[in-house]
């Protein structure tokens, strides 16, 4: 065996983008397998959520102007902060040592989810509320309370 270390997360994201191209003809078949279906629903990605759940969270944040574009990604708007406070979350101010919020290509959904400080805080908050829990490996499960309390909030203003 030979082990390699990736230089940084940008290299990891580039490799994930290449993987999308490599499996473009077999994508749906591959993700239909029960083991991969768990990962497709929700998983960890460098400390934040990925999968269908994470894409839904990102979609909800983009609706209603909850995120504003910046040169480095996104910042929360007043309505975004209010929406998160409605979830019981008090997001930290941006940390100068890392990016606050930016797009991360989701290799199972072939769409973006949210990465960065805000995304990490969201995952920790969802875990603390008992809405999600870490399963085996990278898999994350949505709990019964998450299905009852979180999922409706992500879908309530989708149209």
């Amino acid at each position: 065996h030979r082990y390699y270390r990736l230089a940084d997360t940008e290299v990891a994201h580039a490799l994930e983008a290449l993987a999308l191209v490599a499996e473009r003809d077999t994508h749906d078949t591959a993700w239909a397998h029960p083991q991969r279906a768990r990962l497709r629903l929700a998983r960890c990605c460098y400390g934040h959520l990925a999968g269908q759940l994470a894409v839904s969270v990102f979609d909800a944040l983009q609706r209603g102007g909850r995120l504003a574009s910046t040169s480095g990604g996104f910042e929360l708007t007043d309505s975004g902060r209010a929406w998160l406070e409605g979830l019981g979350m008090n997001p930290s101010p941006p940390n100068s040592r890392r990016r606050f919020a930016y797009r991360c290509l989701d290799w199972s959904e072939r769409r973006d989810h949210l990465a960065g400080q805000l995304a990490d805080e969201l995952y920790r908050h969802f875990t603390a509320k008992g809405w999600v829990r870490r399963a085996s490996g990278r898999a994350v499960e949505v709990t019964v309370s998450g299905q009852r309390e979180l999922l409706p909030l992500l879908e309530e203003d989708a149209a």
Side-chain angles (χ1 to χ4, degrees):
H1 297 286
R2 290 183 188 256
Y3 296 94
Y4 298 90
R5 182 184 317 253
L6 300 178
D8 55 34
T9 57
E10 289 177 351
V11 172
H13 294 302
L15 290 174
E16 288 173 349
L18 288 173
L20 290 178
V21 174
E23 73 168 14
R24 66 180 160 217
D25 295 333
T26 60
H27 179 72
D28 291 331
T29 304
W31 285 103
H33 187 277
Q35 288 288 34
R36 292 192 87 196
R38 288 181 39 226
L39 290 174
R40 188 174 194 178
L41 175 62
R43 66 185 176 280
C44 286
C45 176
Y46 308 106
H48 59 267
L49 286 172
Q52 293 168 337
L53 177 62
V55 169
S56 294
V57 170
F58 189 41
D59 287 347
L61 282 166
Q62 291 182 92
R63 285 193 295 269
R66 295 173 179 146
L67 291 175
S69 292
T70 67
S71 61
F74 299 101
E75 64 184 11
L76 276 174
T77 63
D78 291 340
S79 67
R81 187 168 299 285
W83 187 77
L84 291 175
E85 288 170 356
L87 295 177
M89 181 180 168
N90 185 17
S92 302
N95 180 329
S96 62
R97 292 177 292 173
R98 65 182 296 211
R99 292 169 68 188
F100 180 69
Y102 59 95
R103 295 177 183 277
C104 182
L105 181 62
D106 193 293
W107 41 265
S108 65
E109 297 310 294
R110 297 178 174 227
R111 295 182 50 215
D112 292 322
H113 60 252
L114 192 66
Q117 174 189 330
L118 179 60
D120 291 0
E121 288 181 23
L122 280 163
Y123 176 51
R124 287 192 303 269
H125 179 71
F126 292 173
T127 301
K129 294 284 278 185
W131 292 340
V132 300
R133 70 174 159 252
R134 189 78 181 253
S136 62
R138 292 178 63 185
V140 172
E141 298 173 341
V142 179
T143 65
V144 172
S145 64
Q147 292 171 17
R148 185 179 58 245
E149 298 170 30
L150 175 62
L151 297 184
L153 295 172
L154 300 177
E155 298 168 359
E156 73 183 11
D157 58 352

